[in-house]
Amino acid sequence: MKLTNIAKTVSVGAVAAAMAVSMTACGGSSSEITATYMLSNASYLDAIAWYSNDDIMLVTNSDNTYDLYYKNDIFGTTDPGVKGNKTIIYSGTYTSEASADGDATHLDVTLSAPTRIYFEQHGKAYGRNGYSTNMMLDTANWTDAMTTIAFPSGSEDGAADFLSKYGKEITMTVEDPSQSPDDTTLSYRIVEMSVDTLDITGNE
C-alpha cells in the first residue's frame, strides 16, 4: 500500500502515546531532535463496521539517527469502543538529500535497516494476525519467551532474526518547511512512502 499526500497532521493522542512508549522503551538520547514528520490515514472495515486509523511519525535527530513510529488504532461504530492498539518503533540511522521529484521543499530520506524494533499490541482486533492478541517484543531486551512467540518453530538468535525479517531499509519523501521559511503553507509531513513492510503482521 502506498500513501501519498494524505494528511498534514496526526492526532495529538496518538503522538503522545508514541512518545510515551519511546521514553520508556527506547530510553533517552544526548542528541537533539531536528525534525518530526507526520502522516495519518484512516480506513473503514466494512465487513465488521470498524475503523482502522494509522499514524506514522518520523523523528530525525542531530546525530543522524531516527525513530519511526507506527501506531494503529482500531475501534467500533455499531459496537463502540477500542478494539485494538498497536505501536511499533523502528530505530536506526538515516541519510537525506534533495528529492528526486524536483520540489525544492522536499527531501528524500533513506532510513537504514533498524538496529532496534519495539513492538506492542493489545486488543481482540489482532487475534488473527499470527501473534497473541496481547504481546510485547523488544529486540534490545529480548528474552527466550519472545523467541517462542515470534518463532514457534525455533530460532538460534531471536532478536537478530526478528530484525532481519522485519527491519527493512525504507526511503520516503518528506516536506521540510526549513527549505522555504517564507512559505507558511508548508508543514513537516510525510509526502510519500510505502508502508507495505511497516506493519508487523505475524509469524510464519
Side-chain angles (χ1 to χ4, degrees):
M1 177 175 62
K2 183 176 260 189
L3 305 180
T4 178
N5 292 324
I6 292 179
K8 294 185 177 181
T9 59
V10 68
S11 68
V12 173
V15 175
M19 292 303 290
V21 171
S22 174
M23 293 175 65
T24 57
C26 295
S29 173
S30 59
S31 65
E32 297 182 355
I33 293 175
T34 56
T36 300
Y37 305 96
M38 300 179 182
L39 180 150
S40 184
N41 181 57
S43 58
Y44 182 65
L45 309 176
D46 187 65
I48 52 178
W50 289 357
Y51 281 100
S52 178
N53 187 77
D54 293 323
D55 292 316
I56 300 168
M57 180 172 68
L58 171 65
V59 178
T60 58
N61 304 305
S62 58
D63 60 356
N64 293 320
T65 60
Y66 74 85
D67 293 300
L68 179 63
Y69 301 83
Y70 172 79
K71 185 76 166 64
N72 175 246
D73 297 289
I74 297 177
F75 52 93
T77 53
T78 57
D79 55 339
V82 175
K83 308 306 176 186
N85 297 121
K86 179 187 296 186
T87 301
I88 309 173
I89 306 173
Y90 300 87
S91 302
T93 60
Y94 79 95
T95 59
S96 64
E97 60 184 0
S99 179
D101 66 12
D103 190 317
T105 66
H106 290 178
L107 298 173
D108 287 340
V109 180
T110 299
L111 310 180
S112 65
T115 56
R116 181 178 188 178
I117 299 176
Y118 173 88
F119 170 79
E120 188 277 336
Q121 70 177 24
H122 57 274
K124 65 180 182 180
Y126 307 119
R128 295 185 297 274
N129 72 354
Y131 284 141
S132 171
T133 301
N134 304 314
M135 58 171 293
M136 188 276 288
L137 303 171
D138 182 359
T139 60
N141 296 284
W142 200 263
T143 65
D144 290 341
M146 293 179 188
T147 297
T148 300
I149 293 173
F151 301 101
S153 60
S155 170
E156 294 185 2
D157 191 337
D161 290 343
F162 193 79
L163 283 167
S164 177
K165 182 177 180 179
Y166 294 110
K168 309 299 181 183
E169 181 178 281
I170 297 174
T171 298
M172 65 177 68
T173 300
V174 300
E175 182 176 87
D176 192 329
S178 69
Q179 304 300 308
S180 182
D182 294 332
D183 188 346
T184 58
T185 67
L186 302 175
S187 62
Y188 286 93
R189 65 187 181 100
I190 298 171
V191 177
E192 183 176 334
M193 70 172 295
S194 174
V195 296
D196 286 339
T197 60
L198 196 57
D199 188 12
I200 293 174
T201 56
N203 53 42
E204 295 178 348

